[in-house]
C-alpha cells in the first residue's frame, strides 16, 4: 500500500509491488470535482450573536470556527492591516477548514481541483487567461504504520537523476515558522556534505527540499499527504491550520479521524 500510494500520486504505471492502495482516500479525491461542482453553498445564517454569520457549508459560527481547528504548533501572526479568518472548502464529502489572510483590498480563498491521482488546492479565483496558482497538492497517505513512506516514494519517483533517489530521506523541517509536524525530503547529512559549499542543493526533485527560493514542505494528517507550496514572502494561508471536518452518525460536523 505504501509503494502503490506513492506511485498513484505521480503515475499510473511503472511501479510494482505493494498492497492495494487506500481506496477510500483515492475515491475521495477522484469524486471531489463532481461533488464540488454540484454543491451549492448555503446562504450564511446571521444567528450567531457576537460571532458573525455562520460558515455556508458546515454552518459553524464564523467567530467560533477557530475552535474546530487542529492547529499544528503556534498559530501564525497576521501582518499589520490584515487578519486571519477561518474559511471552508468542499473536499468531496468532507469539508476543509483553514485560516486565510484578509487584508484591505484582498481576501485569500482556496479552490479545489480533484483528480484520480491527487487533488490540487489553488488560489482563486484565477485571473482571466492565467493558470491557477497551486498552493497545496494532496495525495493519499498510504500506510498508517509508516505515514511518511508514501510521500517519500512519491518524491523519489519525481527525481530525474536515479542515482539521487536512494540518497533522499525524510527529516523534520526545522526552519523557523514551520508547523510542528512539517517534514521535508532531503539528502542525508553525509551526502549533503559532499556537495560544493557555495551551491544550493535541489537534488531531491520538485517534492524535495529546496535550499533557496522555496519554503515547500510536507505534512501528513487525516489520511492524506499534503505538499505545501509556500513562498518566501508573507504567507496568505496558514498551513498549520488545515483541518478536515466530516459528519458523524448524528449528522454533526466533527474533525475527521487521523
Amino acid at each position: 500500500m505504501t509503494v502503490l500510494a506513492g506511485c498513484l500520486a505521480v503515475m499510473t504505471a511503472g511501479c510494482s509491488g505493494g498492497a492495494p492502495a487506500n481506496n477510500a482516500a483515492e475515491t475521495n479525491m477522484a469524486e471531489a470535482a463532481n461533488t464540488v461542482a454540484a454543491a451549492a453553498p448555503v446562504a450564511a445564517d446571521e444567528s450567531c450573536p457576537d460571532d458573525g454569520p455562520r460558515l455556508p457549508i458546515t454552518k459553524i459560527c464564523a467567530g467560533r470556527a477557530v475552535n474546530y481547528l487542529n492547529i499544528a504548533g503556534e498559530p501564525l501572526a497576521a501582518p499589520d492591516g490584515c487578519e486571519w479568518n477561518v474559511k471552508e472548502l468542499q473536499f468531496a464529502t468532507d469539508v476543509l477548514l483553514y485560516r486565510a489572510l484578509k487584508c484591505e483590498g484582498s481576501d485569500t480563498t482556496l479552490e479545489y481541483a480533484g483528480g484520480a491521482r491527487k487533488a490540487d488546492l489553488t488560489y482563486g479565483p484565477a485571473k482571466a487567461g492565467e493558470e491557477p496558482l497551486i498552493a497545496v497538492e494532496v495525495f493519499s497517505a498510504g500506510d498508517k504504520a509508516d505515514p511518511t513512506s508514501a510521500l517519500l516514494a512519491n518524491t523519489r519517483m519525481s527525481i530525474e537523476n536515479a542515482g539521487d533517489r536512494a540518497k533522499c530521506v525524510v527529516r523534520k523541517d526545522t526552519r523557523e515558522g514551520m508547523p510542528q509536524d512539517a517534514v521535508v525530503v532531503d539528502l542525508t547529512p553525509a551526502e549533503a556534505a559532499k556537495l560544493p559549499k557555495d551551491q544550493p542543493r535541489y537534488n531531491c526533485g520538485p517534492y524535495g527540499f529546496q535550499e533557496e527560493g522555496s519554503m515547500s514542505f510536507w505534512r501528513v494528517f487525516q489520511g492524506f499527504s499534503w505538499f505545501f507550496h509556500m513562498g518566501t514572502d508573507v504567507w496568505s494561508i496558514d498551513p498549520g491550520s488545515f483541518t478536515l471536518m466530516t459528519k458523524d452518525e448524528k449528522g454533526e460536523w466533527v474533525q475527521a479521524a487521523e
Side-chain angles (χ1 to χ4, degrees):
M1 176 163 57
T2 298
V3 177
L4 185 55
C7 295
L8 177 66
V10 181
M11 59 187 71
T12 57
C15 186
S16 62
N22 186 336
N23 291 330
E26 291 154 16
T27 300
N28 202 14
M29 290 190 290
E31 295 179 350
N34 291 334
T35 304
V36 172
V42 180
D45 186 339
E46 301 288 348
S47 63
C48 296
D50 302 323
D51 285 310
R54 293 183 181 273
L55 298 178
I57 305 174
T58 61
K59 297 295 196 71
I60 297 170
C61 294
R64 304 173 196 170
V66 68
N67 299 322
Y68 290 80
L69 300 177
N70 184 21
I71 296 179
E74 291 295 323
L76 296 178
D80 291 343
C82 303
E83 63 179 0
W84 289 109
N85 287 332
V86 177
K87 302 292 184 66
E88 61 182 11
L89 178 66
Q90 190 78 47
F91 194 101
T93 58
D94 293 335
V95 171
L96 176 68
L97 297 184
Y98 64 97
R99 295 204 312 161
L101 275 184
K102 183 175 183 179
C103 308
E104 184 177 355
S106 66
D107 188 6
T108 304
T109 59
L110 293 178
E111 297 182 348
Y112 187 105
R117 299 179 298 173
K118 69 182 179 75
D120 292 334
L121 307 184
T122 63
Y123 293 105
K127 295 181 180 179
E130 294 184 1
E131 288 293 322
L133 181 62
I134 296 177
V136 191
E137 295 180 66
V138 190
F139 304 87
S140 170
D143 190 356
K144 289 184 178 181
D146 192 359
T148 63
S149 59
L151 71 85
L152 177 59
N154 178 76
T155 301
R156 283 176 170 172
M157 284 188 296
S158 70
I159 300 172
E160 292 186 4
N161 186 343
D164 281 338
R165 291 171 187 165
K167 301 175 184 178
C168 295
V169 297
V170 178
R171 67 166 174 82
K172 181 177 177 59
D173 193 336
T174 57
R175 292 173 291 183
E176 184 178 359
M178 294 294 148
Q180 65 183 8
D181 58 354
V183 298
V184 292
V185 178
D186 192 12
L187 292 174
T188 64
E191 291 296 333
K194 298 176 184 179
L195 299 177
K197 302 299 182 184
D198 59 344
Q199 295 181 13
R201 61 181 185 271
Y202 305 99
N203 302 68
C204 295
Y207 295 114
F209 177 68
Q210 308 289 319
E211 196 165 32
E212 290 185 1
S214 172
M215 295 290 277
S216 299
F217 55 88
W218 290 92
R219 292 186 62 208
V220 182
F221 59 93
Q222 294 180 301
F224 296 95
S225 299
W226 309 69
F227 184 69
F228 290 86
H229 294 266
M230 307 303 295
T232 55
D233 296 328
V234 174
W235 294 354
S236 57
I237 57 173
D238 181 358
S241 69
F242 280 45
T243 304
L244 281 179
M245 304 290 290
T246 192
K247 283 188 176 181
D248 63 13
E249 63 277 4
K250 298 179 181 179
E252 298 178 351
W253 288 100
V254 297
Q255 287 185 10
E258 288 295 331

